[in-house]
Amino acid sequence: MPLFAAAALTACPAPAVHDGDTIRCGEERIRISDIDAPELPSSPKCAPDSYRRGWCDFALGRAARNALVAFLGRGPIVVRRIGVDRYGRTLALVSVNGVDAGEFLVQQHLARRWR
């Protein structure tokens, strides 16, 4: 495996889950790449005067967050960084025991593929 590829894979031993598609590994904010999960009630994207509307199904947003917490608790977490989004968050593929977190959430109907 080339050195640069190995450097892109890291563990996240104690993640903090923000919502169904965003976690923290220490100070690093990580946006799970290629999916969109529903917003939580605190999201500014769901404010009545927001210029950028989000997917504002709060019950489904809580279910997505809770499912991600449970999924990440199944084993060692591997983060494969692939870029940075416009908010400065790391874009990454996140997996546990070789299973992709984003794909898991999509299969559970708790997130949709990002278009």
Side-chain angles (χ1 to χ4, degrees):
M1 175 184 294
L3 181 57
F4 66 87
L9 295 175
T10 59
C12 180
V17 176
H18 174 73
D19 59 20
D21 53 27
T22 308
I23 66 173
R24 279 191 181 271
C25 288
E27 295 297 313
E28 183 180 22
R29 293 179 309 148
I30 298 175
R31 173 70 158 76
I32 298 174
S33 183
D34 300 332
I35 66 163
D36 182 34
E39 304 297 330
L40 295 173
S42 60
S43 173
K45 292 180 187 175
C46 295
D49 60 346
S50 177
Y51 72 94
R52 186 165 176 264
R53 296 297 295 170
W55 181 10
C56 302
D57 182 332
F58 301 139
L60 196 59
R62 286 188 286 274
R65 179 194 56 207
N66 295 344
L68 183 57
V69 167
F71 178 83
L72 296 178
R74 294 180 179 175
I77 300 159
V78 175
V79 176
R80 187 173 128 223
R81 291 163 183 79
I82 58 176
V84 177
D85 73 6
R86 65 180 168 182
Y87 302 109
R89 299 175 295 189
T90 300
L91 285 173
L93 298 172
V94 176
S95 62
V96 173
N97 297 322
V99 178
D100 182 79
E103 190 61 32
F104 168 80
L105 291 168
V106 168
Q107 289 174 356
Q108 299 298 311
H109 305 287
L110 298 170
R112 56 188 174 204
R113 296 188 199 301
W114 182 253
R115 297 174 246 157

